[in-house]
Amino acid sequence: MRELSLHVLDLVQNSIAAGADRIRILIRENDARHLLQIRVEDNGCGMTPQQAKQACDPFFTTRTTRTVGLGIPLFKMAAEMTGGSFRIDSVCGAGTVVTAEFDTGHVDMIPLGDINGTVALLIRCNPELDFEFRRSFGEKELALDTALLRRELGEDISLNDADVIGWISEYLQEETGRLLSGRETSAADTLRTDDGKTDRNLPSGTQERKGHTR
Protein backbone atom coordinates (compact mmCIF):
# COMPACT_ATOMS: atom_id res chain seq x y z
CA MET A 1 0.00 0.00 0.00
CA ARG A 2 1.29 3.44 -0.93
CA GLU A 3 -0.45 5.33 1.88
CA LEU A 4 -0.75 4.59 5.58
CA SER A 5 -4.35 5.78 5.45
CA LEU A 6 -5.16 2.65 3.42
CA HIS A 7 -3.71 0.52 6.21
CA VAL A 8 -5.99 2.36 8.63
CA LEU A 9 -8.95 1.55 6.38
CA ASP A 10 -7.98 -2.13 6.44
CA LEU A 11 -7.59 -2.14 10.23
CA VAL A 12 -11.00 -0.55 10.74
CA GLN A 13 -12.57 -3.10 8.40
CA ASN A 14 -11.09 -5.77 10.67
CA SER A 15 -12.68 -4.02 13.67
CA ILE A 16 -16.06 -3.94 11.96
CA ALA A 17 -15.77 -7.63 11.05
CA ALA A 18 -15.04 -8.30 14.74
CA GLY A 19 -18.39 -6.77 15.69
CA ALA A 20 -17.17 -3.40 16.97
CA ASP A 21 -19.71 -0.60 17.17
CA ARG A 22 -17.28 2.06 18.42
CA ILE A 23 -13.88 2.59 16.83
CA ARG A 24 -11.22 5.15 17.70
CA ILE A 25 -8.60 6.29 15.19
CA LEU A 26 -5.77 8.20 16.82
CA ILE A 27 -2.95 9.90 14.91
CA ARG A 28 -0.11 11.53 16.83
CA GLU A 29 2.68 13.47 15.12
CA ASN A 30 5.83 14.97 16.59
CA ASP A 31 8.27 16.54 14.14
CA ALA A 32 10.90 17.17 16.80
CA ARG A 33 11.08 13.42 17.51
CA HIS A 34 10.42 12.39 13.89
CA LEU A 35 7.51 10.36 15.23
CA LEU A 36 4.19 9.33 13.73
CA GLN A 37 2.00 7.08 15.84
CA ILE A 38 -1.15 5.44 14.47
CA ARG A 39 -3.50 3.73 16.90
CA VAL A 40 -6.80 1.98 16.15
CA GLU A 41 -8.96 0.89 19.10
CA ASP A 42 -12.21 -1.05 18.99
CA ASN A 43 -14.72 -2.73 21.27
CA GLY A 44 -15.11 -5.80 19.11
CA CYS A 45 -14.89 -9.46 20.10
CA GLY A 46 -11.14 -9.31 20.69
CA MET A 47 -8.58 -12.07 20.23
CA THR A 48 -6.78 -14.65 22.29
CA PRO A 49 -2.99 -14.20 22.68
CA GLN A 50 -2.50 -16.93 20.09
CA GLN A 51 -4.83 -15.24 17.61
CA ALA A 52 -3.12 -11.89 18.17
CA LYS A 53 0.21 -13.53 17.37
CA GLN A 54 -1.21 -15.26 14.30
CA ALA A 55 -2.68 -11.96 13.06
CA CYS A 56 0.85 -10.89 12.11
CA ASP A 57 1.22 -13.99 9.91
CA PRO A 58 0.33 -13.19 6.26
CA PHE A 59 -0.98 -16.74 5.82
CA PHE A 60 -3.52 -16.41 8.63
CA THR A 61 -6.91 -14.74 8.28
CA THR A 62 -10.39 -15.19 9.74
CA ARG A 63 -11.99 -13.67 6.65
CA THR A 64 -13.86 -15.92 4.25
CA THR A 65 -13.40 -13.52 1.33
CA ARG A 66 -9.68 -14.14 1.01
CA THR A 67 -7.20 -16.82 1.99
CA VAL A 68 -4.30 -14.55 2.92
CA GLY A 69 -4.45 -11.85 5.60
CA LEU A 70 -1.95 -9.29 4.35
CA GLY A 71 -3.37 -6.19 6.07
CA ILE A 72 -1.77 -6.39 9.52
CA PRO A 73 1.54 -7.99 8.38
CA LEU A 74 2.05 -5.25 5.76
CA PHE A 75 1.24 -2.52 8.28
CA LYS A 76 3.69 -4.07 10.74
CA MET A 77 6.36 -4.26 8.04
CA ALA A 78 5.78 -0.62 7.03
CA ALA A 79 6.40 0.50 10.62
CA GLU A 80 9.40 -1.72 11.27
CA MET A 81 11.06 -0.76 7.97
CA THR A 82 11.41 2.77 9.35
CA GLY A 83 12.92 1.51 12.60
CA GLY A 84 9.57 1.94 14.31
CA SER A 85 7.45 -0.52 16.25
CA PHE A 86 4.19 -2.44 16.05
CA ARG A 87 1.98 -3.88 18.77
CA ILE A 88 -1.37 -5.63 19.16
CA ASP A 89 -3.14 -5.64 22.53
CA SER A 90 -6.35 -7.62 22.61
CA VAL A 91 -8.72 -9.12 25.16
CA CYS A 92 -11.41 -11.62 24.26
CA GLY A 93 -14.82 -10.05 24.67
CA ALA A 94 -13.38 -6.56 25.23
CA GLY A 95 -11.70 -5.39 22.02
CA THR A 96 -8.40 -4.79 20.31
CA VAL A 97 -5.83 -1.99 20.15
CA VAL A 98 -3.33 -1.84 17.29
CA THR A 99 -0.47 0.63 17.66
CA ALA A 100 2.24 1.40 15.12
CA GLU A 101 5.04 3.95 15.40
CA PHE A 102 7.06 5.28 12.47
CA ASP A 103 10.31 7.21 12.14
CA THR A 104 9.18 9.94 9.73
CA GLY A 105 12.77 10.81 8.86
CA HIS A 106 13.57 7.35 7.54
CA VAL A 107 14.08 6.84 3.81
CA ASP A 108 11.51 4.02 3.80
CA MET A 109 8.75 6.11 5.39
CA ILE A 110 5.59 6.11 3.28
CA PRO A 111 3.15 9.05 3.46
CA LEU A 112 0.12 9.15 5.72
CA GLY A 113 -2.00 9.97 2.69
CA ASP A 114 -5.63 11.05 2.69
CA ILE A 115 -6.57 10.11 6.24
CA ASN A 116 -9.45 12.60 6.20
CA GLY A 117 -10.91 10.93 3.13
CA THR A 118 -10.55 7.55 4.80
CA VAL A 119 -12.40 8.70 7.91
CA ALA A 120 -15.19 10.31 5.87
CA LEU A 121 -15.54 7.15 3.78
CA LEU A 122 -15.79 4.94 6.87
CA ILE A 123 -18.51 7.15 8.34
CA ARG A 124 -20.45 7.27 5.08
CA CYS A 125 -20.35 3.50 4.63
CA ASN A 126 -21.07 2.70 8.29
CA PRO A 127 -23.46 5.38 9.60
CA GLU A 128 -24.75 3.13 12.36
CA LEU A 129 -21.32 2.87 13.99
CA ASP A 130 -19.58 5.37 16.25
CA PHE A 131 -16.20 6.68 15.13
CA GLU A 132 -13.88 8.89 17.11
CA PHE A 133 -11.03 10.46 15.15
CA ARG A 134 -8.26 12.43 16.81
CA ARG A 135 -5.15 13.83 15.19
CA SER A 136 -2.59 15.67 17.26
CA PHE A 137 0.41 17.67 16.14
CA GLY A 138 2.56 18.79 19.04
CA GLU A 139 0.22 20.31 21.58
CA LYS A 140 -2.65 20.90 19.15
CA GLU A 141 -5.41 18.46 18.32
CA LEU A 142 -8.22 17.87 15.85
CA ALA A 143 -11.19 15.89 17.17
CA LEU A 144 -14.33 14.43 15.63
CA ASP A 145 -16.76 12.13 17.44
CA THR A 146 -19.76 10.89 15.49
CA ALA A 147 -21.60 9.98 18.71
CA LEU A 148 -21.67 13.68 19.60
CA LEU A 149 -22.61 14.64 16.06
CA ARG A 150 -25.43 12.09 16.01
CA ARG A 151 -26.78 13.48 19.28
CA GLU A 152 -26.84 16.98 17.81
CA LEU A 153 -28.48 15.89 14.55
CA GLY A 154 -31.21 13.81 16.13
CA GLU A 155 -32.55 10.41 15.12
CA ASP A 156 -34.08 11.47 11.81
CA ILE A 157 -30.87 12.56 10.07
CA SER A 158 -28.36 9.86 9.17
CA LEU A 159 -24.62 10.34 9.27
CA ASN A 160 -24.45 9.29 5.61
CA ASP A 161 -26.73 12.17 4.59
CA ALA A 162 -25.02 14.05 1.76
CA ASP A 163 -25.04 17.34 3.69
CA VAL A 164 -23.57 15.67 6.78
CA ILE A 165 -20.79 13.93 4.86
CA GLY A 166 -20.02 17.16 3.03
CA TRP A 167 -19.77 19.01 6.34
CA ILE A 168 -17.57 16.30 7.85
CA SER A 169 -15.19 16.44 4.88
CA GLU A 170 -14.97 20.24 5.02
CA TYR A 171 -14.54 20.22 8.79
CA LEU A 172 -11.67 17.75 8.63
CA GLN A 173 -9.98 19.63 5.80
CA GLU A 174 -10.23 23.00 7.53
CA GLU A 175 -9.12 21.72 10.92
CA THR A 176 -6.21 19.79 9.41
CA GLY A 177 -5.05 23.00 7.76
CA ARG A 178 -5.16 24.80 11.08
CA LEU A 179 -3.50 21.91 12.86
CA LEU A 180 -0.57 21.70 10.49
CA SER A 181 -0.20 25.43 9.94
CA GLY A 182 0.34 26.03 13.64
CA ARG A 183 -2.89 27.95 14.17
CA GLU A 184 -4.68 27.24 17.42
CA THR A 185 -8.15 25.69 17.10
CA SER A 186 -10.69 27.55 19.19
CA ALA A 187 -13.34 25.78 21.24
CA ALA A 188 -16.04 27.27 19.00
CA ASP A 189 -14.56 25.54 15.96
CA THR A 190 -14.69 22.00 17.36
CA LEU A 191 -17.45 19.60 18.27
CA ARG A 192 -18.07 20.18 21.94
CA THR A 193 -17.30 17.41 24.37
CA ASP A 194 -19.37 18.85 27.22
CA ASP A 195 -23.15 19.09 27.52
CA GLY A 196 -23.32 22.42 25.73
CA LYS A 197 -25.09 22.43 22.38
CA THR A 198 -24.83 24.72 19.41
CA ASP A 199 -26.28 24.62 15.92
CA ARG A 200 -23.19 26.47 14.68
CA ASN A 201 -21.45 23.12 14.41
CA LEU A 202 -24.22 21.40 12.46
CA PRO A 203 -24.16 20.88 8.70
CA SER A 204 -26.07 23.86 7.30
CA GLY A 205 -28.33 21.74 5.12
CA THR A 206 -29.59 19.77 8.13
CA GLN A 207 -30.35 22.60 10.57
CA GLU A 208 -33.81 23.32 9.16
CA ARG A 209 -34.69 19.63 8.97
CA LYS A 210 -33.52 19.16 12.53
CA GLY A 211 -35.86 21.90 13.68
CA HIS A 212 -38.82 20.27 11.96
CA THR A 213 -38.15 16.80 13.33
CA ARG A 214 -37.96 17.70 17.00
Side-chain angles (χ1 to χ4, degrees):
M1 296 183 187
R2 297 182 179 180
E3 297 181 0
L4 294 177
S5 61
L6 298 178
H7 287 285
V8 172
L9 179 64
D10 190 80
L11 289 174
V12 174
Q13 289 175 332
N14 288 343
S15 296
I16 295 172
D21 59 16
R22 182 167 179 82
I23 300 166
R24 303 181 73 216
I25 302 170
L26 312 175
I27 310 290
R28 184 165 65 93
E29 300 169 80
N30 188 316
D31 276 355
R33 295 176 54 195
H34 301 287
L35 171 70
L36 169 65
Q37 183 187 81
I38 298 177
R39 185 180 179 99
V40 176
E41 305 175 359
D42 70 55
N43 64 348
C45 63
M47 295 181 284
T48 65
Q50 180 64 21
Q51 288 174 325
K53 181 178 180 180
Q54 289 177 320
C56 295
D57 181 349
F59 298 101
F60 171 81
T61 180
T62 59
R63 294 189 184 181
T64 59
T65 55
R66 66 189 187 201
T67 58
V68 179
L70 293 176
I72 288 178
L74 287 178
F75 190 45
K76 178 176 182 289
M77 182 177 68
E80 293 179 344
M81 283 179 60
T82 71
S85 62
F86 179 86
R87 177 174 176 174
I88 298 178
D89 297 294
S90 190
V91 178
C92 274
T96 300
V97 178
V98 175
T99 307
E101 294 190 348
F102 302 80
D103 179 350
T104 58
H106 197 280
V107 66
D108 290 323
M109 177 68 191
I110 62 177
L112 177 60
D114 186 12
I115 189 65
N116 292 341
T118 294
V119 172
L121 176 65
L122 286 167
I123 295 171
R124 180 170 63 85
C125 294
N126 306 277
E128 74 284 0
L129 304 182
D130 286 331
F131 292 94
E132 180 181 351
F133 173 56
R134 293 183 178 271
R135 183 177 182 181
S136 63
F137 187 80
E139 299 299 320
K140 300 177 292 295
E141 183 180 72
L142 173 164
L144 174 71
D145 191 331
T146 61
L148 300 178
L149 182 56
R150 183 181 289 107
R151 185 176 68 186
E152 289 292 317
L153 290 171
E155 297 179 356
D156 296 318
I157 301 176
S158 173
L159 289 178
N160 64 1
D161 180 279
D163 289 325
V164 176
I165 291 298
W167 179 88
I168 288 173
S169 297
E170 290 178 6
Y171 171 82
L172 292 176
Q173 181 178 1
E174 291 175 3
E175 293 305 306
T176 298
R178 290 175 181 165
L179 185 73
L180 301 183
S181 68
R183 292 176 56 190
E184 294 287 348
T185 300
S186 67
D189 289 327
T190 61
L191 287 174
R192 296 187 178 181
T193 55
D194 55 22
D195 291 331
K197 295 183 178 181
T198 173
D199 279 352
R200 180 188 185 282
N201 292 311
L202 292 176
S204 58
T206 66
Q207 292 182 24
E208 183 177 352
R209 280 181 285 161
K210 177 190 173 189
H212 286 303
T213 56
R214 286 192 172 183

